[in-house]
Amino acid sequence: MSRYGPEDPSVLHYQHSHISRKAWAGEETTSFNIRRFEGHLWEIDNHHRRVIDYVCIFGLGGVLFCGKALDVDHALITALVERWRPETHTFHLPVGETTITLQDVQVLWALRVDGVPFTGNGYCESGWRGLCEELLGFYPLQSEMKENGILASALIHRMMIEPLEDGLEDEAYIQRARMIVLVLLGGLILPDGSECEIPLMWLTQLRDVEAASMISWASAALATLYHNLCEASMGKRTDIGGPTMLLQLWVWERMPTLRPDFVMTRIHTNNTPCALMWTGSFMINRASKHSVRHYREQLSLLQNSQTPASR
């Protein structure tokens, strides 16, 4: 690090408990554990075309089209957390401040920016298992439930053993689409500390397809990411949730010196999420993987030409 502490303590008033103190003291930071769970979702390659259509209507088609999510580089995320400031919701870099924005979320994952907030209802008069039977098409076993949530593995298992055929009622395809949406939300976009439990309060907001299509998924994803970065930067946990994969894609897109080298040329086609460009074979050859110290140094050496415009 080129400087040892904030120049103006009156602005960064959380410094006394910020995780960056370890870096300035020359201490090693243990990489955060990344909380996410999509299980075997990406092994299902026979989703019915009408199910995919409904996932797109719900607004998560862009994430699904990106295919199997890449592995998250724990060391890179950890080094970024050290640079995150909860006072400003920005990464503090030698060249200035920057942050991931709603536009970035929309471009990378094609999630809707404007619209209604994603909240859900924490109370279900018919009971959560009854709600699953109504909106997901099956009555889950007690072992598949956890408090007011359902295990992602239960949804994935159901999709794997019960492929849908042609000629079914629309509701059958909508129910299956809701399963995919829940797994994407709970496992990749909005994962929390449970890693594999999906809050069923979310399902209450997926009842009406058209209404759900108006949800601002990008806002939900970004707010969750900001919250988790703030919690982690204050040393309150050893793991981190939220869409860390999205953050990694943003860094690769915006900071060339931190991205891996791809074996194949990245190609982007019109009307597709930019995250699609980062799928495929790649290799990291600038330093040993999982090195927080390496990423610290790379972030300290950033120049204006190697970063997004300061915000």
Side-chain angles (χ1 to χ4, degrees), residues 81-143:
V81 170
E82 292 179 341
R83 291 282 187 172
W84 179 261
R85 300 303 311 200
E87 301 94 338
T88 58
H89 287 173
T90 57
F91 295 103
H92 283 215
L93 304 172
V95 295
E97 299 175 47
T98 188
T99 193
I100 179 172
T101 67
L102 284 172
Q103 183 183 39
D104 294 313
V105 181
Q106 183 183 48
V107 169
L108 287 168
W109 269 354
L111 294 179
R112 184 187 180 98
V113 169
D114 59 337
V116 299
F118 180 55
T119 54
N121 191 334
Y123 172 75
C124 180
E125 185 175 355
S126 62
W128 296 115
R129 296 171 75 186
L131 185 68
C132 289
E133 184 176 31
E134 176 190 356
L135 299 183
L136 300 180
F138 75 101
Y139 195 80
L141 301 173
Q142 191 61 47
S143 60

Side-chain angles (χ1 to χ4, degrees), residues 14 17-19 21-22 32 35 81 86 227-240:
Y14 291 147
S17 56
H18 195 271
I19 194 175
R21 292 179 306 149
K22 291 184 178 181
F32 285 98
R35 298 178 301 187
V81 170
H227 170 75
N228 279 276
L229 285 172
C230 289
E231 290 281 301
S233 69
M234 296 303 294
K236 296 181 178 180
R237 54 181 55 165
T238 58
D239 52 13
I240 182 172

Side-chain angles (χ1 to χ4, degrees), residues 37-41 44 47 132-133 135-141 144-145 149-163 175-187 196-200 202-203 206:
F37 180 86
E38 307 105 67
H40 299 285
L41 174 66
I44 305 174
H47 291 301
C132 289
E133 184 176 31
L135 299 183
L136 300 180
F138 75 101
Y139 195 80
L141 301 173
E144 297 175 321
M145 303 285 292
I150 188 169
L151 299 180
S153 56
L155 298 178
I156 296 171
H157 177 69
R158 185 73 53 173
M159 289 187 281
M160 294 182 73
I161 66 174
E162 295 182 0
Q175 290 171 342
R176 184 57 55 87
R178 290 192 186 105
M179 292 188 195
I180 296 175
V181 168
L182 285 177
V183 174
L184 290 176
L185 288 174
C196 57
E197 178 191 346
I198 301 172
L200 284 172
W202 294 349
L203 187 55
L206 302 179

